[in-house]
Amino acid sequence: MEGRSIVFASGKGGTGKTTTVANLGVALAQFGKEVILLDADITMANLSLVLGMEDIPITLHDVLAGEADLKDAIYEGPAGVKVIPGGLSLEKVKKAKPERLRQLIREISQMADFILIDAPAGLEMTSVTALLIGKELIIVTNPEISAITDSLKTKLIAEKLGTLPLGAVLNRVTNEKTELTKEEIEAILEVPVLAMIPEDPEVKRASAYGVPLVIKNPTSPAAIAIKQLAAKLAGIKWEPPEPESPIKRVFKALFGGRKR
């Protein structure tokens, strides 16, 4: 059975797209789904860094250059998620042929329930190529007018390429008055907002450790929002855990880390 290939795109950099893709993939894997994460950012591959998988010997770039088999570029990441990382070598970037991605995605789509494609930010040729290989699109953006305007351009191009927009994920939401509301964003983009991921200091902490947030701190607000999105995509019911009482948190802080 062919898996769902979903490309995650943003009209501009800095929206938190790669972090969202990595954590969403891990969350889907935690729900028992077969997931492959594909780093389609040919020039600025960062997905492996978020997952703590640096120094990978064979990458997507080697496959796109015709110097390696696809099976050799698939690695197992956190929670059993499969990852096809991009290369960080400038030499490999020059050799990679992005047009080969379309053939690769046909092979990959037979291997998993979900193929999550991390597209480059912006609307350069590599970004358009990534939009072309996914059957569905999720826009990752921030609730500010410049980000939403760029996201609208991305959505319109995706539609022209025949990629179906599923909706938008709003990242780094603070609910300040200067932010656009969910309803305003849905009216501009003409797609539903699938998730609102709050600004959360735990995201940076997890990134510094190279551990996905949904593993490092699964009860943090951003992790819960991502898990809810994963459950929605997987078509399963999931309720976030009850928050711990202050007394229990103090007790855990005092005695939880002690080894006997």
Side-chain angles (χ1 to χ4, degrees):
M1 194 177 93
E2 192 171 304
R4 290 176 67 181
S5 56
I6 306 173
V7 59
F8 289 75
S10 59
K12 59 180 279 189
T15 62
K17 172 179 52 61
T18 297
T19 301
T20 300
V21 172
N23 279 282
L24 184 60
V26 172
L28 283 165
Q30 289 174 329
F31 286 139
K33 299 298 179 183
E34 289 287 327
V35 185
I36 294 177
L37 303 181
L38 173 68
D39 193 340
D41 193 339
I42 305 299
T43 53
M44 298 286 285
N46 284 318
L47 189 60
S48 57
L49 300 178
V50 177
L51 292 164
M53 298 173 68
E54 304 92 338
D55 303 321
I56 297 291
I58 297 171
T59 69
L60 176 66
H61 289 66
D62 298 301
V63 180
L64 294 179
E67 296 177 354
D69 289 334
L70 174 62
K71 61 180 172 54
D72 296 324
I74 301 175
Y75 299 85
E76 186 162 318
V81 69
K82 300 290 193 302
V83 185
I84 304 175
L88 299 173
S89 157
L90 288 176
E91 196 58 42
K92 289 183 179 182
V93 168
K94 288 178 190 173
K95 290 183 183 178
K97 295 181 172 61
E99 62 271 16
R100 291 187 179 177
L101 274 171
R102 294 191 76 177
Q103 176 55 39
L104 281 180
I105 205 71
R106 290 191 195 104
E107 294 179 52
I108 297 164
S109 63
Q110 304 298 322
M111 301 178 184
D113 302 312
F114 289 91
I115 299 90
L116 307 188
I117 304 159
D118 185 19
L123 291 170
E124 303 299 324
M125 184 50 71
T126 51
S127 310
V128 173
T129 303
L131 289 175
L132 197 58
I133 63 173
K135 288 192 174 173
E136 300 172 290
L137 165 72
I138 289 179
I139 299 161
V140 182
T141 188
N142 303 132
E144 56 189 49
I145 193 65
S146 61
I148 298 300
T149 304
D150 289 339
S151 296
L152 180 58
K153 294 173 193 169
T154 302
K155 178 222 167 191
L156 293 173
I157 289 174
E159 285 178 323
K160 284 185 179 177
L161 295 171
T163 306
L164 175 69
L166 285 181
V169 170
L170 301 185
N171 227 345
R172 309 192 68 174
V173 176
T174 62
N175 292 318
E176 291 179 7
K177 288 183 180 178
T178 54
E179 290 183 346
L180 294 173
T181 66
K182 175 175 176 279
E183 292 73 24
E184 287 169 336
I185 290 166
E186 288 179 333
I188 295 168
L189 296 180
E190 295 185 320
V191 294
V193 168
L194 302 173
M196 297 179 71
I197 302 174
E199 180 73 74
D200 186 344
E202 290 302 320
V203 175
K204 279 187 179 177
R205 289 194 187 108
S207 183
Y209 281 95
V211 179
L213 176 68
V214 292
I215 289 176
K216 180 115 180 68
N217 194 337
T219 59
S220 66
I224 287 172
I226 290 167
K227 292 274 278 190
Q228 286 172 326
L229 175 58
K232 187 182 290 186
L233 288 175
I236 60 175
K237 286 188 177 179
W238 179 78
E239 292 295 330
E242 289 289 323
E244 287 182 346
S245 69
I247 293 172
K248 193 171 182 181
R249 279 203 302 273
V250 170
F251 194 85
K252 187 184 279 188
L254 289 172
F255 305 108
R258 293 188 180 180
K259 292 183 180 178
R260 297 183 184 278

